[in-house]
Amino acid sequence: MDYKDTLLLPNTTFEMRANLYENEKKSFEKFSSFAYAQLRDKKAPKFILHDGPPYANGHLHIGHALNKILKDMINKTRYFLANNSISYTPGWDCHGLPIEQQVEIKLKDKNPSIKEIHDACTEHAKEFIGIQMKEFKDLGIIGDFDKPYLTMDFKFEANIYKTLLEVAKNGLLIQRSKPVYWSWAAKSALAEAEVEYEDKEDYSIFVAFKLNDDAKAKLKSLGANDSILNNARAVIWTTTPWTLPANKAIALNKDELYVLGENGLIVAKKRLEDLAEFNIKPVLEFKGDFLENTNALNPLNNNLSQFITGEHVLMDGGSGLVHTAPGHGEDDYYACLRYNIEVEMPVGDDGCYDENIKRLVPNKPELLGMHVFKANEVIIELLGESLLKCSKFIHSYPFCWRTHKPIIYRATKQFFIAMDKEFYNGMTLRELAQKSLDEVSFYPKAGRNRIGTMISNRPDWCISRQRSWGVPLAFFNDKSGNLIMDFELYEHLASIFEKEGVRVWWQKDIKDLLPANSKYKADELEKVTDILDVWFDSGSTFNAVLASGNYDIKTTQADMYLEGSDQHRGWFQSSLLLSVILNKQAPYKAVLTHGFTVDEKGRKMSKSLGNVIAPEQIAKNYGLEIFRLYITLCDYSTDVKLGESILKQTSEQYRKIRNTIRFLLANTSDLKAYNYNFSDLDKMILNKANNVFELYKKSFLEYDFAKGMNALCTFLSADLSGVYLDICKDSLYCDAKEDSKRTASITAMALILKKLLVLLAPVLTHTTNEACEHANKFILGDIKSIFDLEDFDFASKITPSKNDYEYLLKTRVKFYEQIDILKKDKIIKSTLELNLATNDEVILNYEEAADFYSLSKIEALNSNEALASFEIDNKTYKIIKSNLCKCPRCWKYLSLSEESLCPRCERVLK
């Protein structure tokens, strides 16, 4: 007789083959119509993840995908596992140089008006917002895409401007001429966050400045003779020969000793050994401040170069005397400021020498209009005998992050936010920002020190840019160039911006921007034409998005900001500074950062290396669920390695998870009533599951996805599938349909399935939703999607087991080590052919022990000849052949003859 039809085999419509690429798209289309409203409208405490705006230019890359998928998983984690409703408004940064440059290229032959430039920039941004929005939706991201925030929307622009006014009202907006990072390629000042560092080859030169008579007289007072003094020269070192025309001073360290050599050269005493090639034999020494306020002579023009002191002068390189050009360096500027030394600036905004160079280097007219980087050789040649040494070296140098060209330090008149001016309870912005960080949680924790160090060391924030596509520093100067700070006037401007956008600042005459009956006369005013740094735009989004009430939330602080680790110096910092000014607190309660995506060898992805992996490539070849799963399995806080072998490995892990879900669905499909009369085996797996589920939930709520997901995957593979489900197959397939043992096991599986779907929903949203569609309605209820599924108290359904699961598992592992040998030697084909004889009371007293090892019988230790044996904790275990026959239905060796059924199967069929 064929007993196959008498078995209760599993049944499900949930396919083993996922076909993710096609099926994900269908899921995402469904979700986009209802999911965000469901997340937002849940009657529960609100979780606000404020979106850092990507730039509206170009297609998305894999880094964008990593960022947005992390945000999506965290939102869903809070929704499914923390019982939160969700506020998530995607946004876009729309202003700035890259768009303006693209537009200038398109319109270069048309001599466009400012209006035409603005219109073209707007259209360019709109085009890529549309492209990127579709690409984000294709990633399955859930958010308020019907009402995103755009920094170029009129109300948004007005809010950015209002934030600027609040900075001014707090007394922190200052205007001064000061050296700043200057991109000659973009013809604009840069903020610190817009600077990257790359290797660059530069000159290293030592130059001798002859001493002026006042400095010689000082040295003569120490006993220097005239023959040495006549040749006395201060040795400076620089890597920027092109800045020598603007030299105004030579800085020394007041606490260090300096020497005058027989050959007249002056260097720091600590630098003598490294400068042995100059053959300096000291004849006298003096402290660094001895020559203070005397002068040397610039060899390019014989202009006075004043000796000053500065704490920035170090002894780890150079000569210990620092060439100082206050227009070309931050330290130089502040050092000269103490001595009221004026700034000299012979360089134009294009990085070329302007008319001032003719005065500073009168004997070289061809320097006029020459780019400073090309002028190094000319300057070096002009130095003549004053050049003591010239060489080249490679060093890390600041580059403009948008144009990828090396930048210069250049003094210009700019607007700054003052970091060290007292403005609140006797505290400076720097101090209050540092204090505010103490209230913020950082993931990883090292983020606090990183941004804290940056805040401690950062200079004043230069917020002005010399461009037109952005929010203007909409202030007026009087005819004398004095800034007018009238907030009533500027609030009127803000109301105009809110209705018509900030572009009217350029497009309307001054008279049309003044309020009715204004006390100002239009012809006596001039507009400030600078725009705001785009980091100010994005940094003020907490005010324009969270606090304005224009979106689906109204608050001053988000629960989380989440971006790449580079944003410690960018968006996290600009947002922090502006929020501290306006609200005296950080704009975020927590900051989470992720690393960059690199290839499997740790190399940066680039087209030239051919190692770029696009999001759509992953979606098509593997499915986005695979990428989402991988993000949770790796340490995303560092660089995330990605490649074909990694994705294939993750696909295999996904297949195991999917097959486990499929098995659970198939074996719970006929459950109609719960039976909580669990066997000890059920209790053991439920308790193990509960421990893992709790660890998973705790880890996910702490955003340590890898810890939780790796524990869950190990449990699903090793414990649930590898042990419990494998053991249960006999009862599931061969016991009577309503057998208490069988229905209790199915109940345990149903509980695990329901909890598993909730836990996996934040990561494998499509797969869990698909599982819901194929699940037994009795278990999940009449839900429409995974978003209707709620977390439940899994632990309340279970009680402790009598046996120690880990101990039993240890014996099972040893047992199967022997089984592998017996099968390899072709002594047995199945464990069901065997009995296990032992003196282990735990095993002998465990009713389900035979099932636990998937053999036919457990018996007391005897003298029968064993096929194999092993020992654990001084207990002996013998593997012996069964002396009974194979049941033709369940295949256990419990039948009295080859044709007869075992007692269990006979009872079931009757």
Side-chain angles (χ1 to χ4, degrees):
M1 178 179 176
D2 185 357
Y3 289 101
K4 181 180 178 182
D5 292 338
T6 71
L7 301 176
L8 299 170
L9 296 176
N11 178 41
T12 182
T13 54
F14 185 76
E15 296 288 343
M16 185 178 295
R17 186 171 180 272
N19 193 17
L20 287 175
Y21 180 57
E22 294 299 327
N23 291 333
E24 280 175 339
K25 289 192 290 186
K26 295 174 184 175
S27 283
F28 298 160
E29 287 173 6
K30 287 181 185 177
F31 294 162
S32 64
S33 64
F34 69 86
Y36 180 68
Q38 195 163 345
L39 267 65
R40 179 194 61 204
D41 298 337
K42 184 177 184 178
K43 302 299 181 186
K46 186 75 73 178
F47 177 80
I48 305 163
L49 198 163
H50 182 42
D51 192 33
Y55 195 63
N57 187 36
H59 289 267
L60 301 183
H61 53 67
I62 197 67
H64 289 118
L66 170 64
N67 177 264
K68 278 295 195 287
I69 287 173
L70 268 173
K71 290 173 180 175
D72 188 66
M73 290 197 298
I74 285 175
N75 279 331
K76 289 172 183 171
T77 294
R78 302 301 307 190
Y79 177 81
F80 284 106
L81 305 186
N83 192 34
N84 285 130
S85 61
I86 301 301
S87 175
Y88 179 62
T89 303
W92 274 269
D93 229 338
C94 307
H95 296 130
L97 183 63
I99 290 176
E100 191 171 355
Q101 285 181 325
Q102 290 291 323
V103 165
E104 286 176 348
I105 293 170
K106 289 180 184 177
L107 303 178
K108 64 180 179 180
D109 298 326
K110 296 183 179 180
N111 192 25
S113 66
I114 193 74
K115 182 181 184 303
E116 288 172 323
I117 291 174
H118 286 166
D119 289 346
C121 287
T122 302
E123 290 307 310
H124 183 97
K126 280 182 179 178
E127 176 188 356
F128 280 99
I129 289 166
I131 289 170
Q132 291 184 6
M133 185 182 294
K134 180 184 182 302
E135 290 172 339
F136 281 136
K137 288 181 177 180
D138 288 345
L139 292 174
I141 308 305
I142 295 173
D144 194 359
F145 286 104
D146 291 334
K147 193 180 178 183
Y149 75 82
L150 311 177
T151 61
M152 66 181 182
D153 283 349
F154 292 173
K155 285 185 177 180
F156 205 107
E157 290 178 331
N159 264 302
I160 295 170
Y161 180 64
K162 289 176 183 177
T163 302
L164 173 65
L165 296 183
E166 290 301 315
V167 173
K169 288 176 183 176
N170 276 275
L172 295 180
L173 184 67
I174 57 177
Q175 189 182 26
R176 65 168 181 258
S177 181
K178 175 181 177 292
V180 293
Y181 290 120
W182 184 267
S183 173
W184 50 266
K187 297 183 180 179
S188 179
L190 299 178
E192 190 176 19
E194 295 172 302
V195 175
E196 297 175 337
Y197 285 83
E198 299 179 21
D199 285 344
K200 180 177 181 289
E201 184 179 63
D202 269 321
Y203 284 97
S204 168
I205 65 172
F206 289 85
V207 183
F209 279 50
K210 291 182 179 180
L211 297 195
N212 193 42
D213 290 342
D214 55 354
K216 291 178 182 178
K218 288 279 285 187
L219 291 176
K220 189 168 185 176
S221 68
L222 292 179
N225 64 51
D226 289 339
S227 63
I228 293 177
L229 289 176
N230 288 336
N231 197 34
R233 293 162 293 164
V235 180
I236 65 94
W237 173 74
T238 183
T239 61
T240 54
W242 62 268
T243 63
L244 284 172
N247 173 276
K248 298 290 287 186
I250 298 174
L252 296 82
N253 188 315
K254 65 181 178 64
D255 297 319
E256 295 290 341
L257 289 174
Y258 289 79
V259 299
L260 171 66
E262 284 183 355
N263 55 5
L265 297 183
I266 298 173
V267 297
K269 186 175 182 180
K270 286 182 179 178
R271 299 299 304 147
L272 274 173
E273 185 176 344
D274 290 332
L275 299 176
E277 61 191 296
F278 293 159
N279 195 28
I280 301 170
K281 297 177 181 178
V283 295
L284 58 84
E285 60 184 48
F286 52 90
K287 291 288 289 290
D289 56 359
F290 180 73
L291 291 177
E292 188 176 18
N293 294 320
T294 63
N295 296 275
L297 300 172
N298 188 331
L300 290 175
N301 48 30
N302 272 342
N303 287 346
L304 294 179
S305 182
Q306 183 175 333
F307 285 110
I308 63 174
T309 63
E311 293 179 358
H312 66 289
V313 181
L314 304 176
M315 297 296 124
D316 55 358
S319 63
L321 294 91
V322 176
H323 148 61
T324 303
H328 292 300
E330 181 98 5
D331 291 332
D332 298 28
Y333 172 79
Y334 284 114
C336 288
L337 196 63
R338 292 189 296 111
Y339 291 88
N340 293 317
I341 297 173
E342 291 183 2
V343 171
E344 190 73 73
M345 179 43 56
V347 182
D349 59 10
D350 59 355
C352 298
Y353 286 127
D354 61 18
E355 289 287 334
N356 288 305
I357 197 66
K358 294 193 292 188
R359 171 175 51 82
L360 295 173
V361 190
N363 59 338
K364 206 67 175 174
E366 59 264 41
L367 283 174
L368 177 62
M370 183 180 290
H371 195 281
V372 294
F373 290 155
K374 294 181 180 179
N376 279 326
E377 290 81 2
V378 179
I379 297 296
I380 288 170
E381 184 182 352
L382 284 172
L383 289 172
E385 293 181 355
S386 297
L387 180 66
L388 299 178
K389 182 183 178 182
C390 178
S391 59
K392 284 189 173 183
F393 74 119
I394 304 284
H395 66 145
S396 181
Y397 190 88
F399 278 65
C400 172
W401 78 323
R402 296 199 188 279
T403 64
H404 304 293
K405 301 289 186 183
I407 63 174
I408 60 176
Y409 254 112
R410 177 172 177 265
T412 58
K413 197 170 186 180
Q414 302 288 344
F415 285 88
F416 297 86
I417 293 178
M419 292 296 298
D420 298 307
K421 182 179 179 182
E422 289 185 8
F423 83 106
Y424 180 75
N425 287 346
M427 298 178 73
T428 66
L429 175 57
R430 192 186 308 278
E431 292 167 341
L432 191 53
Q434 289 279 26
K435 184 173 182 291
S436 299
L437 291 175
D438 293 338
E439 306 300 320
V440 179
S441 299
F442 283 87
Y443 305 92
K445 291 181 180 179
R448 181 192 311 279
N449 290 335
R450 186 172 181 188
I451 190 172
T453 300
M454 290 176 175
I455 292 292
S456 295
N457 297 326
R458 68 159 296 139
D460 292 341
W461 179 7
C462 178
I463 62 169
S464 49
R465 299 291 179 271
Q466 290 64 53
R467 307 297 298 184
S468 66
W469 177 234
V471 175
L473 280 123
F475 298 125
F476 292 112
N477 290 325
D478 61 24
K479 288 297 183 181
S480 299
N482 298 313
L483 188 67
I484 293 170
M485 198 50 66
D486 183 330
F487 293 112
E488 186 177 341
L489 169 63
Y490 297 140
E491 291 291 348
H492 171 74
L493 272 180
S495 66
I496 296 176
F497 295 161
E498 191 164 328
K499 297 172 186 174
E500 303 178 57
V502 295
R503 62 205 67 185
V504 298
W505 180 250
W506 289 273
Q507 296 172 14
K508 286 191 172 186
D509 293 333
I510 292 176
K511 62 182 177 62
D512 298 320
L513 296 171
L514 298 177
N517 303 316
S518 173
K519 61 184 178 182
Y520 299 101
K521 294 180 180 179
D523 59 359
E524 295 179 355
L525 300 177
E526 294 175 345
K527 295 177 184 176
V528 172
T529 56
D530 293 344
I531 65 168
L532 280 166
D533 170 16
V534 288
W535 289 108
F536 193 103
D537 283 26
S538 58
S540 60
T541 55
F542 72 90
N543 196 31
V545 178
L546 302 180
S548 68
N550 293 331
Y551 299 89
D552 69 0
I553 196 71
K554 189 169 177 60
T555 183
T556 57
Q557 196 174 49
D559 289 288
M560 177 175 283
Y561 276 33
L562 188 168
E563 298 301 327
S565 56
D566 58 329
Q567 294 306 317
H568 286 109
R569 63 196 286 265
W571 189 54
F572 297 150
Q573 196 173 144
S574 63
S575 300
L576 173 67
L577 296 178
L578 293 177
S579 178
V580 165
I581 294 171
L582 270 65
N583 301 319
K584 313 307 181 280
Q585 65 177 8
Y588 34 67
K589 297 175 184 176
V591 168
L592 186 146
T593 56
H594 59 81
F596 299 100
T597 49
V598 295
D599 71 8
E600 289 175 296
K601 296 179 180 178
R603 299 175 302 178
K604 182 179 179 181
M605 290 189 181
S606 69
K607 291 180 180 178
S608 61
L609 290 175
N611 61 352
V612 174
I613 299 179
E616 59 269 24
Q617 181 183 341
I618 295 177
K620 191 170 184 178
N621 295 345
Y622 297 96
L624 289 164
E625 298 276 83
I626 305 303
F627 186 42
R628 294 173 72 95
L629 178 59
Y630 174 62
I631 292 172
T632 63
L633 288 169
C634 71
D635 180 6
Y636 64 80
S637 66
T638 62
D639 285 349
V640 176
K641 292 183 177 180
L642 202 60
E644 292 297 323
S645 64
I646 287 173
L647 291 168
K648 285 177 182 176
Q649 291 169 14
T650 310
S651 296
E652 180 61 24
Q653 186 66 72
Y654 171 81
R655 186 187 65 78
K656 291 178 182 178
I657 295 171
R658 184 178 181 88
N659 286 350
T660 301
I661 292 173
R662 186 172 186 271
F663 189 94
L664 293 172
L665 289 170
N667 286 284
T668 58
S669 60
D670 61 354
L671 183 66
K672 295 179 180 177
Y674 288 124
N675 174 13
Y676 296 108
N677 187 26
F678 295 126
S679 70
D680 206 57
L681 176 63
D682 297 330
K683 291 176 182 177
M684 283 193 288
I685 198 65
L686 288 170
N687 279 283
K688 177 71 175 180
N690 185 58
N691 292 337
V692 174
F693 292 165
E694 287 299 315
L695 171 65
Y696 178 97
K697 183 174 180 178
K698 181 176 183 294
S699 299
F700 264 56
L701 290 175
E702 293 173 351
Y703 314 115
D704 188 354
F705 297 140
K707 183 178 181 181
M709 185 57 78
N710 279 294
L712 182 65
C713 287
T714 299
F715 166 74
L716 295 179
S717 178
D719 298 291
L720 187 62
S721 296
V723 178
Y724 179 71
L725 298 180
D726 188 54
I727 292 171
C728 286
K729 287 176 183 176
D730 176 72
S731 175
L732 292 171
Y733 302 166
C734 300
D735 282 348
K737 187 172 185 179
E738 300 304 325
D739 181 88
S740 178
K741 178 183 176 184
R742 180 179 185 273
T743 56
S745 293
I746 293 174
T747 298
M749 292 179 199
L751 292 174
I752 290 172
L753 172 65
K754 188 174 180 179
K755 186 72 173 183
L756 185 61
L757 293 178
V758 173
L759 295 175
L760 288 174
V763 182
L764 303 178
T765 311
H766 157 70
T767 302
T768 52
N769 187 69
E770 183 188 1
C772 289
E773 293 173 351
H774 296 272
N776 184 344
K777 297 291 185 184
F778 173 76
I779 299 171
L780 300 187
D782 191 22
I783 63 172
K784 294 178 181 178
S785 76
I786 187 68
F787 299 102
D788 294 325
L789 201 59
E790 294 184 357
D791 197 10
F792 66 100
D793 186 2
F794 185 86
S796 66
K797 306 296 184 183
I798 57 179
T799 54
S801 61
K802 295 177 182 177
N803 287 292
D804 181 349
Y805 172 72
E806 298 301 330
Y807 174 75
L808 290 175
L809 194 61
K810 183 168 68 170
T811 65
R812 193 175 192 269
V813 169
K814 281 286 187 181
F815 171 77
Y816 271 93
E817 286 176 0
Q818 299 301 317
I819 294 301
D820 288 342
I821 297 171
L822 293 174
K823 285 184 175 180
K824 185 178 180 181
D825 294 341
K826 298 183 179 180
I827 296 172
I828 64 167
K829 292 182 179 179
S830 167
T831 55
L832 294 175
E833 302 172 34
L834 305 172
N835 294 345
L836 182 65
T838 183
N839 59 356
D840 188 338
E841 294 296 326
V842 173
I843 305 300
L844 291 171
N845 292 325
Y846 178 33
E847 294 178 2
E848 300 169 276
D851 288 335
F852 192 82
Y853 299 99
S854 299
L855 42 73
S856 290
K857 187 180 179 182
I858 301 290
E859 57 187 70
L861 195 63
N862 52 48
S863 59
N864 291 353
E865 186 177 345
L867 299 177
S869 64
F870 59 94
E871 290 191 358
I872 296 178
D873 298 340
N874 297 320
K875 301 292 192 299
T876 301
Y877 307 81
K878 285 186 176 182
I879 299 171
I880 59 179
K881 272 273 193 179
S882 173
N883 57 5
L884 295 175
C885 298
K886 180 180 179 180
C887 173
R889 181 172 182 268
C890 70
W891 299 356
K892 284 187 175 182
Y893 280 66
L894 295 172
S895 296
L896 297 176
S897 68
E898 294 287 346
E899 295 80 18
S900 63
L901 296 172
C902 69
R904 188 268 306 266
C905 287
E906 189 173 334
R907 186 174 64 252
V908 169
L909 292 189
K910 284 182 178 180

